[in-house]
Amino acid sequence: MKKILKKASLMGGVLMAFLSCSEFEEINVNPVAANEDQVQIEYFINSSIGGAQQNPHISERVFVLYWDDAGRMTRVGTLSQGFQSDGWTSDYFNGYVSSWLRNINAGIKVAEAQIESGSYREHTPNLKEVARIWRAYVMSEMTDNFGPIPINGFQGENPQYSDVKEVYYYMLQELKEATNALDLEVSNPNNALKKLDPAYGYDYAKWKKYGNSLRMRLAMRLSEVDAAKAQSEFESAVADGFIMEAADNFKVKEVGGWNDYTGVMTREWWDHEVSATLNNLMIGLGGIPSADQLSADKHQYIKPANYMGLKFDNHFTTKTNDPSAGFFFDGLHNKIDPRAYDLFVIPGDFANPEFNSYPSWTNGARTTKRTLLDDADNVVKEIDAAFTWNAYTAGSWGTKGAKNKVYGYTGTLPRLANKYRNSSNERIFFASWESYFLIAEASIRGWSVPMSGKEAYEQGIADSFAYNGVSDQLGAYISSEDYNRVGTSVSWGHTAEPPATVTMTYKDGYTGATGTHTLKYPENTIYKNGTVKNDLLTKIITQKFIAQTPWLPLETWSDHRRLGLPFFENPAIETPLTNMPQLTPSNYMTNRVDFYGQRLKYPSNFGSNIPAGYSQAVEKLGGEDSVFTPLWWAKKQ
């Protein structure tokens, strides 16, 4: 009886330090009726993972409007143009990510109190280490968005803010200690407990692999600013065992309705069309003909390899360094990465079971015929976008956009497959392909890794192809020396740079007259001054970007912030961009780190409610609280 009372007292003290009644209800336990068995770490872990999975309200604001745009997986026009909403950010910072951290911290404290009292279950120590691994992920998400955060935050008292370097060192140490402390000899918990872990069902071996893989990710983040630390942490993590196959991927099952497990891309009014960045990476990449990928009835729409499309000088922007700008592609590309047709569905392909018709209250997704207008709003040209493949840069299209009823309209664009929109999938937080691409990058940096860069690179591609169901094209793909629209090929052994220009054919969209166009591969001036387009690192990050689509836009954003790879086109500036005045008609053909958002600003109520904490956070940031201030590990110019 004395032990039970001691345990209950400890639990009560811990909960009072962390949770109000409403917060306790978030873990689906009635705080009035809660008994000692219900006050257990697994409930806090479940609540934190469920929250970070993101319900439709917060996923729209963070995953779609911020990460998808910043990571260039879709075209929105927020961080890519220097814009953020204080309301969206406040939702994320105050109402969500802080709750996920508060809950996981509370769970760790609960477990520590139980262990200290000597009254705990066999699996409690392991669950504590699982919670530490998960806490490192949530902290990484928060610091990669905002910058400085408190290491000791969300524990019931005002914290001290740490700079990004301190946060990273802490996360890496936590992951090392937690993975090493997991006891794999402890039997897996019962089925009722397994259900509270939506990722791994408390398979401790898988949690260990995930912890090491996450450590690899975070270590590589430091590669450009703290190479020695990055290398030592990476080599230690990879040696301890990592996610090597799809069965070990960290993924969470989506469900329908409206709750924490509803799919993150289910809000109907977002198109999730293929981005210009991704499109330029995939066009021509791998040399696989569309005719080998599509059914015979679609072959009539495939265009010649050197065809650029229809040129509409008065309706399509050219004030961007997007190499595809200025054209409407009136068919399907001759060659394209095989994953393109699995990820996105061709406009007008209504018979495809993966065609997504959102929003359900309009017929916009099935409306493929749109018009171009003149200054008097008369129709200049009607375009049927069925069985065409286009992607357009964001930004300001000015009067060209006002007269163009094609480029931004749902039914005219390849859109994300239905399996990613209907809550029937599993959201991936970390997959085996990322492990292999990280190892490939480590290899070319000269770090000690268990396989060659070529082996890791090709295995990463193979795992991505398997996920997208296109493994039958793998052999030809990995040996291809064909360049994509930005001058990168697939073959590991092919590092020859592309020619400066390529001659393409086109048709005048208004008259039908044919002509030639000199396609100039873009100069990514924030990577090796724009002189390199086809080295090994560019290949690795290109493949990693495509593989991470559509689940991990935060990672594609982080890779670009860290390396300047892959090539991100600048937004169009037919008229000046209010939130990005530094991008002008005189410099839009170059790339700069301040031509896209680097972070989220802290919410305004942070500064007004906790001025001392806010001042400390901005001081640790090392620059103004702006979306254009790079984080410690990111490129600065």
Side-chain angles (χ1 to χ4, degrees), residues 312-318 326-328 392 397 400 404 407:
F312 291 103
D313 288 333
N314 299 325
H315 292 86
F316 285 80
T317 184
T318 55
F327 293 90
F328 173 82
Y392 307 112
W397 282 45
K400 291 184 177 181
N404 188 329
Y407 85 102

Side-chain angles (χ1 to χ4, degrees), residues 49-55 252-254 260-262 264 427 429:
I49 293 177
Q53 164 73 6
Q54 299 186 5
N55 66 51
V252 175
K253 182 72 178 71
E254 298 176 334
D260 281 349
Y261 294 97
T262 301
V264 290
R427 179 181 170 187
F429 285 77

Side-chain angles (χ1 to χ4, degrees), residues 137 140-141 143-145 164 168 171-172 214-227 230-231 234 430 434 438 441 445 447 544 548 554-563 631-635:
Y137 168 75
S140 74
E141 184 179 303
T143 191
D144 288 348
N145 277 279
V164 175
Y168 261 80
M171 295 187 297
L172 290 167
L214 180 57
R215 190 175 163 209
M216 290 161 58
R217 174 194 283 176
L218 300 185
M220 188 59 75
R221 198 88 85 226
L222 311 186
S223 60
E224 299 296 299
V225 294
D226 199 349
Q231 180 176 354
F234 191 97
F430 200 108
E434 183 175 349
L438 287 168
E441 181 175 349
R445 291 181 181 276
W447 301 353
K544 187 179 178 186
Q548 301 284 47
L554 178 57
E555 283 308 301
T556 58
W557 182 29
S558 293
D559 274 340
H560 194 271
R561 287 183 288 174
R562 174 173 66 97
L563 298 167
L631 301 182
W632 168 66
W633 46 259
K635 293 179 72 71

Side-chain angles (χ1 to χ4, degrees), residues 402-608:
K403 295 186 293 183
N404 188 329
K405 304 305 178 183
V406 178
Y407 85 102
Y409 290 83
T410 301
T412 69
L413 296 162
R415 300 167 73 236
L416 198 62
N418 198 48
K419 59 187 173 182
Y420 300 112
R421 306 293 312 275
N422 61 7
S423 288
S424 65
N425 220 309
E426 294 172 310
R427 179 181 170 187
I428 292 176
F429 285 77
F430 200 108
S432 59
W433 57 70
E434 183 175 349
S435 296
Y436 290 114
F437 291 130
L438 287 168
I439 291 170
E441 181 175 349
S443 175
I444 66 172
R445 291 181 181 276
W447 301 353
S448 178
V449 288
M451 57 201 306
S452 71
K454 180 176 185 292
E455 290 174 312
Y457 170 77
E458 292 183 351
Q459 187 61 54
I461 297 173
D463 284 8
S464 175
F465 269 48
Y467 179 79
N468 291 107
V470 293
S471 295
D472 57 330
Q473 306 284 359
L474 180 63
Y477 184 88
I478 61 175
S479 64
S480 170
E481 297 182 357
D482 287 21
Y483 297 109
N484 63 12
R485 192 56 65 84
V486 295
T488 307
S489 66
V490 176
S491 172
W492 182 264
H494 178 244
T495 55
E497 287 295 305
T501 61
V502 177
T503 300
M504 307 284 285
T505 64
Y506 74 91
K507 290 182 179 179
D508 184 297
Y510 307 108
T511 67
T514 59
T516 59
H517 171 74
T518 300
L519 174 68
K520 186 178 186 297
Y521 289 112
E523 294 180 358
N524 183 7
T525 48
I526 54 175
Y527 180 69
K528 296 187 177 181
N529 295 318
T531 62
V532 176
K533 301 174 179 64
N534 196 38
D535 65 348
L536 294 178
L537 185 56
T538 303
K539 292 176 184 291
I540 292 167
I541 302 302
T542 295
Q543 291 297 330
K544 187 179 178 186
F545 187 106
I546 299 171
Q548 301 284 47
T549 305
W551 295 117
L552 289 153
L554 178 57
E555 283 308 301
T556 58
W557 182 29
S558 293
D559 274 340
H560 194 271
R561 287 183 288 174
R562 174 173 66 97
L563 298 167
L565 292 172
F567 170 76
F568 278 12
E569 76 287 345
N570 291 326
I573 52 161
E574 293 289 337
T575 58
L577 296 175
T578 303
N579 297 298
M580 197 184 292
Q582 61 270 32
L583 180 65
T584 70
S586 65
N587 63 18
Y588 69 82
M589 291 302 292
T590 64
N591 290 88
R592 289 183 2 195
V593 297
D594 64 346
F595 286 175
Y596 59 97
Q598 293 285 320
R599 58 179 289 275
L600 296 178
K601 293 172 60 178
Y602 294 110
S604 60
N605 57 9
F606 177 25
S608 58

Side-chain angles (χ1 to χ4, degrees), residues 375-394:
D375 292 335
D377 289 339
N378 298 309
V379 174
V380 174
K381 186 81 174 182
E382 181 178 74
I383 293 177
D384 189 350
F387 300 98
T388 65
W389 191 275
N390 289 275
Y392 307 112
T393 184

Side-chain angles (χ1 to χ4, degrees), residues 15-45:
L15 288 172
M16 286 299 292
F18 281 88
L19 301 171
S20 70
C21 289
S22 62
E23 289 160 348
F24 193 69
E25 287 169 352
E26 290 176 2
I27 63 169
N28 299 316
V29 178
N30 184 335
V32 177
N35 59 44
E36 61 178 292
D37 292 325
Q38 291 172 313
V39 184
Q40 299 290 350
I41 184 174
E42 57 265 27
Y43 292 102
F44 295 95
I45 295 172

